[in-house]
Amino acid sequence: MSDDADDRGGDGGANVPRDPPPRPASGGLQVRVDDYLGALAHRRRRLALYYLRRRERATMETLARWIAAVEEDVPVDEVTDADYAPVTVDLFHVHLPKLADARVVEYDGRSGAVRYRDPPAALEELVSTCADVEYDI
């Protein structure tokens, strides 16, 4: 009995893909898809990027108030300290460091300054697509 005759799929292996595995993007750009998707995996990180891509810079307090306003579905001037304080803690300890590690933002924990770095086109497209799907921003 040949190996082909023992093929459980019954097609003698004809359906096994023979294409070469994908290679990294050309042009010297190392596409960091895992980093980008990780950066976009949490709603608060996406909201931070939506804000920063329009304004480029923000303080952590401004960013936290805006995110709290979106989450609470109220105008920014109606956000209370109780609304935005947990967002600030979450941004400080989790989300801004994660975005900084992915080299998406520059973040100074001492001053609270946050800046959207010059994003590669691929990341900007992902952020834009996410914003289009999630919101009308």
Side-chain angles (χ1 to χ4, degrees):
M1 184 192 283
S2 74
D3 288 339
D4 289 341
D6 190 40
D7 179 32
R8 302 205 187 268
D11 64 0
N15 287 328
V16 176
R18 303 279 186 227
D19 294 335
R23 288 189 253 159
S26 61
L29 174 65
Q30 287 295 322
V31 178
R32 301 176 330 202
V33 174
D34 289 342
D35 290 342
Y36 296 162
L37 294 177
L40 297 171
H42 194 280
R43 183 173 186 232
R44 284 189 175 163
R45 289 194 292 272
R46 289 190 307 274
L47 287 171
L49 293 177
Y50 301 158
Y51 183 91
L52 291 168
R53 68 192 275 249
R54 293 188 178 267
R55 292 161 185 90
E56 189 178 320
R57 296 174 188 265
T59 64
M60 186 168 36
E61 179 181 345
T62 301
L63 195 55
R65 283 188 180 279
W66 186 82
I67 291 171
V70 171
E71 290 179 349
E72 297 294 324
D73 196 24
V74 298
V76 173
D77 59 348
E78 291 181 21
V79 171
T80 67
D81 289 349
D83 292 332
Y84 92 91
V87 178
T88 302
V89 171
D90 207 22
L91 288 175
F92 181 82
H93 290 290
V94 179
H95 301 303
L96 293 177
K98 177 123 180 134
L99 290 172
D101 288 346
R103 297 185 186 118
V104 177
V105 301
E106 291 175 355
Y107 164 60
D108 182 344
R110 285 176 279 133
S111 71
V114 184
R115 184 172 87 80
Y116 194 41
R117 295 180 68 158
D118 299 320
L123 175 62
E124 186 57 30
E125 284 185 49
L126 287 171
V127 172
S128 180
T129 299
C130 289
D132 289 347
V133 169
E134 280 190 291
Y135 298 101
D136 238 355
I137 350 184

